[in-house]
Amino acid sequence: MKYLLPFIVLLIYTENIKAQHSLGIQYRASYEDKKLTLNHVYAYFDTSTIVFSKLRFYISNIQCKQKGAVVFSESNSYHLLDLSDEKSFFISIPNLFKLSFDEIQFDIGIDSTTNSSGALGGDLDPIHGMYWTWQNGYINLKLEGSCPQAASPTHVFEFHLGGYQSPYNSLQTIHLIVEKPHEPFYINFALNAWVKQIDFQKTHHVMSPSATSVFLSQLLQNCFSLKYK
Amino acid sequence: MNKVYFLFSLLSFAFVYFIPKQDSSFQTPSYFPKPYYDFKKNPLSESKIALGRKLFYDPRLSRNGSISCANCHSPYNAFAHTDHALSHGIDDSIGTRNAPALFNLAWQPLFMWDGAINHLDMQSLFPITHPKEMGENFTHLIEKLNKDSTYQELCYEAYHNRLISGEYVLKSLSQFMLSLVSTNAKYDSVQLHQALYTEQEQRGHELFLLHCNSCHTEPLFTNFSFQNNGLPVDTFLNDSGRYLVTKKSSDSLCFKVPSLRNLEYTYPYMHDGRFANLQAVIKHYINEKIASPTLSNLLIEPITLNDHEQIDLIAFLLTLNDPSFVFNKKYAYPKN
């Protein structure tokens, strides 16, 4: 009898995870396998530290595939994920998990057609500060923070990555294999895998479409993974 | 039966009240090409144009309430900034380029002298947020507007929503700018066989077709391309034009070909307003062009015009003035 209460709690917890799982896709940002918290001091390699003050990025064009064939394609699929608003990391897609699929695909950023479509609303409204006003285009991803290695006056780094026109198209398409489709999972963005590839001595401010923006965006390819809860 | 009648009346009222009035004013002459702007994504309506017009003339769009769009785009100057070579902005800042005239924007594919802006809807973001123009944060602007009951009312009339969004503001500004259509110059009357050129204007038109029309193509008087027209580089501004956007060496010193309509109202001329009058512009094309790797192919051949021909050409160019556009009260400061 004394084990009943923990059992019920566990049952409710598990059911909650399953219920949430059935309603959409959960994203998570992590640093060294721990959930990322803004303005927290993390170790950067063995000898230094790093702090993140802002992380915002677009997830768009979500598709699910079964044996290479698209079985689901979200309409109006533009989502701004902002770490300061935890709710934004959950993308609601009711009924998604009634489908069978073995692959999830999504873009980090905004495609060129949408970039040339004029004023748009919702998550694409320029009031969210994810649009370059002086030269058109959405900012696909913003990461800001500080690191003693950053060779800027206050050791601040600001990466505003974007660009939708050749040769600086920075949009990245991520493909993730779903091996256990019926188990709750989340999509993890491992920040440590990304920032540890950046030479902060040389690169600490990227604020426009450029070769550096493309390079840093390409590094994102290895930072997203599917993890089971 | 009364109930049915009442319900029908209510539904009719709701239909009339909630459907924005469609504006039929976007009518253009038969000899104009199809507009570039996709009106399906932002169909013109009187209520949206009215909201855009109020925004256009409102200095609260700037950080400190001192500068409106109309400061540099005055209706009496065909929405250019007469007598100012470079645009003036917030805190007496001076920009690096001449404020262009605004009309017939529905045909224009790219905006700014260097084509940095790819859509009319997004054009307004540049001056609103530029530190030397209006210096405002766009998110803050939307917060300010949402505290104003007049704007809430206008937004409701236009979009059935009192909550003003960035999208509504940008689309409404586009609507007002799209409504700025200038097609009533003497040139247009001649096209419609309602007027005749004078002999001098006729001679000027022939010279225009020979020397100018390749870039300043009729009837819009621009082909919207980017060209290096041989201006010597201003070593203070050091502006490389379209190269700044594309980073292609072939675009170095190229600037957008402006329309020549309403020319008399829009002086000074060129991207940096360096020429105060048309005589100086023509003199440049005749014998002051600087050869460089990106000089427009169309300007490599020398242009020869004697004094009489220059006057004839200017006589034709003045037939592109459209006073009915410049003094149209529909486009002026909204008094109410």
Side-chain angles (χ1 to χ4, degrees):
Chain A
M1 188 64 190
K2 66 179 179 181
Y3 297 112
L4 191 59
L5 190 63
F7 177 73
I8 291 170
V9 170
L10 184 68
L11 191 69
I12 292 170
Y13 176 72
T14 312
E15 286 305 308
N16 270 345
I17 286 177
K18 279 185 182 169
Q20 197 179 25
H21 174 68
S22 67
L23 293 173
I25 301 174
Q26 180 71 56
Y27 281 79
R28 196 182 86 146
S30 70
Y31 194 85
E32 303 291 12
D33 291 330
K34 287 185 182 153
K35 190 175 173 183
L36 186 74
T37 307
L38 291 178
N39 303 312
H40 179 83
V41 181
Y42 291 98
Y44 184 64
F45 293 105
D46 290 337
T47 54
S48 190
T49 56
I50 192 164
V51 174
F52 303 101
S53 57
K54 186 180 282 183
L55 174 64
R56 320 177 84 202
F57 56 101
Y58 279 109
I59 294 290
S60 66
N61 294 327
I62 296 174
Q63 291 190 344
C64 296
K65 292 179 176 175
Q66 174 79 335
K67 293 179 182 169
V70 177
V71 293
F72 171 78
S73 184
E74 190 190 29
S75 60
N76 200 23
S77 183
Y78 307 103
H79 307 277
L80 178 57
L81 277 59
D82 181 348
L83 197 59
S84 67
D85 174 17
E86 203 166 316
K87 292 194 298 293
S88 68
F89 270 61
F90 181 74
I91 296 175
S92 173
I93 307 177
N95 302 325
L96 175 65
F97 290 92
K98 289 180 181 169
L99 299 166
S100 294
F101 54 89
D102 55 22
E103 182 186 338
I104 285 189
Q105 176 186 313
F106 55 88
D107 292 342
I108 302 166
I110 301 298
D111 61 87
S112 61
T113 306
T114 308
N115 263 298
S116 314
S117 294
L120 299 163
D123 279 2
L124 294 173
D125 193 317
I127 58 169
H128 299 303
M130 294 293 283
Y131 194 87
W132 276 311
T133 56
W134 49 272
Q135 181 177 325
N136 278 158
Y138 283 94
I139 298 166
N140 294 335
L141 181 145
K142 269 188 186 179
L143 179 71
E144 296 177 10
S146 61
C147 173
Q149 261 64 30
S152 59
T154 52
H155 305 297
V156 163
F157 60 84
E158 290 178 304
F159 300 127
H160 296 184
L161 308 184
Y164 66 95
Q165 287 174 310
S166 177
Y168 302 133
N169 188 350
S170 294
L171 187 83
Q172 298 297 313
T173 301
I174 306 288
H175 302 266
L176 298 175
I177 300 300
V178 184
E179 285 168 347
K180 296 180 269 187
H182 301 296
E183 283 193 31
F185 63 78
Y186 59 89
I187 294 171
N188 191 55
F189 176 14
L191 259 290
N192 52 296
W194 192 44
V195 295
K196 287 188 174 179
Q197 295 181 81
I198 299 170
D199 181 353
F200 282 104
Q201 280 286 331
K202 288 181 185 164
T203 309
H204 41 78
H205 279 79
V206 180
M207 314 290 278
S208 60
S210 60
T212 314
S213 176
V214 174
F215 172 70
L216 292 184
S217 300
Q218 286 168 344
L219 294 181
L220 291 168
Q221 283 286 346
N222 300 322
C223 303
F224 282 81
S225 61
L226 194 139
K227 289 187 180 285
Y228 296 93
K229 291 178 178 173
Chain B
M1 189 62 195
N2 277 346
K3 275 186 186 170
V4 173
Y5 179 75
F6 174 74
L7 196 63
F8 178 75
S9 303
L10 195 68
L11 284 173
S12 306
F13 170 77
F15 183 76
V16 171
Y17 188 78
F18 288 109
I19 301 287
K21 289 174 199 159
Q22 291 299 307
D23 184 45
S24 57
S25 66
F26 202 82
Q27 290 173 349
T28 56
S30 56
Y31 52 90
F32 264 53
K34 196 169 164 260
Y36 183 86
Y37 190 87
D38 185 356
F39 286 97
K40 282 182 202 150
K41 289 183 179 165
N42 189 18
L44 292 187
S45 79
E46 284 177 24
S47 52
K48 290 173 186 168
I49 292 172
L51 173 55
R53 184 179 170 196
K54 183 167 173 61
L55 289 163
F56 188 87
Y57 283 96
D58 192 342
R60 283 178 293 175
L61 265 64
S62 63
R63 187 187 72 238
N64 60 6
S66 65
I67 304 273
S68 74
C69 306
N71 274 55
C72 289
H73 298 285
S74 157
Y76 306 113
N77 309 127
F79 294 92
H81 201 189
T82 296
D83 239 4
H84 292 277
L86 301 172
S87 62
H88 286 213
I90 195 162
D91 302 328
D92 286 337
S93 302
I94 306 288
T96 58
R97 290 176 183 162
N98 181 253
L102 306 180
F103 52 79
N104 299 347
L105 298 173
W107 286 270
Q108 193 165 308
L110 294 170
F111 300 85
M112 310 299 285
W113 281 103
D114 56 15
I117 309 294
N118 69 12
H119 198 291
L120 181 60
D121 292 359
M122 308 318 261
Q123 163 60 36
S124 310
L125 279 170
F126 184 101
I128 290 170
T129 60
H130 195 284
K132 286 189 169 181
E133 297 201 25
M134 296 160 92
E136 180 57 292
N137 173 293
F138 191 60
T139 310
H140 184 240
L141 168 62
I142 303 303
E143 285 168 10
K144 280 197 295 191
L145 296 176
N146 269 308
K147 289 176 187 159
D148 184 308
S149 59
T150 309
Y151 274 114
Q152 289 174 350
E153 205 59 45
L154 286 170
C155 190
Y156 187 74
E157 281 175 31
Y159 298 98
H160 316 143
N161 190 347
R162 279 179 203 282
L163 189 65
I164 301 157
S165 68
E167 180 190 11
Y168 294 160
V169 165
L170 296 175
K171 282 191 165 166
S172 302
L173 281 164
S174 274
Q175 293 244 344
F176 176 62
M177 289 189 280
L178 288 164
S179 77
L180 305 177
V181 177
S182 177
T183 58
N184 200 24
K186 181 174 182 183
Y187 164 83
D188 298 291
S189 300
V190 173
Q191 291 296 306
L192 295 167
H193 309 293
Q194 293 165 350
L196 292 170
Y197 291 131
T198 64
E199 285 183 20
Q200 188 182 41
E201 289 164 352
Q202 181 61 42
R203 289 196 300 272
H205 188 213
E206 284 160 19
L207 291 167
F208 174 85
L209 292 174
L210 194 63
H211 298 296
C212 318
N213 191 56
S214 302
C215 290
H216 295 287
T217 313
E218 295 184 48
L220 292 160
F221 291 89
T222 169
N223 61 1
F224 301 112
S225 65
F226 297 85
Q227 305 283 342
N228 174 356
N229 66 349
L231 292 170
V233 175
D234 180 318
T235 50
F236 179 76
L237 295 171
N238 217 8
D239 190 344
S240 51
R242 184 133 177 87
Y243 170 80
L244 295 171
V245 177
T246 64
K247 304 284 190 274
K248 290 181 187 166
S249 58
S250 57
D251 285 331
S252 178
L253 305 177
C254 291
F255 293 87
K256 188 171 63 191
V257 174
S259 172
L260 301 184
R261 284 178 174 270
N262 296 305
L263 209 49
E264 193 178 12
Y265 307 111
T266 62
Y267 65 93
Y269 306 109
M270 303 295 159
H271 66 272
D272 52 9
R274 69 177 68 187
F275 296 137
N277 53 51
L278 291 175
Q279 288 84 346
V281 173
I282 292 173
K283 196 172 153 217
H284 162 76
Y285 283 112
I286 293 172
N287 52 23
E288 291 178 356
K289 297 189 298 281
I290 303 290
S292 72
T294 59
L295 178 66
S296 172
N297 288 335
L298 299 159
L299 292 173
I300 291 169
E301 286 286 311
I303 295 173
T304 310
L305 293 173
N306 64 34
D307 289 352
H308 293 296
E309 288 172 326
Q310 291 179 40
I311 293 167
D312 292 348
L313 179 58
I314 289 174
F316 168 71
L317 292 174
L318 296 181
T319 71
L320 304 179
N321 294 334
D322 181 355
S324 71
F325 170 72
V326 170
F327 300 109
N328 192 334
K329 287 183 179 164
K330 201 168 72 169
Y331 307 137
Y333 178 81
K335 286 180 182 162
N336 299 319

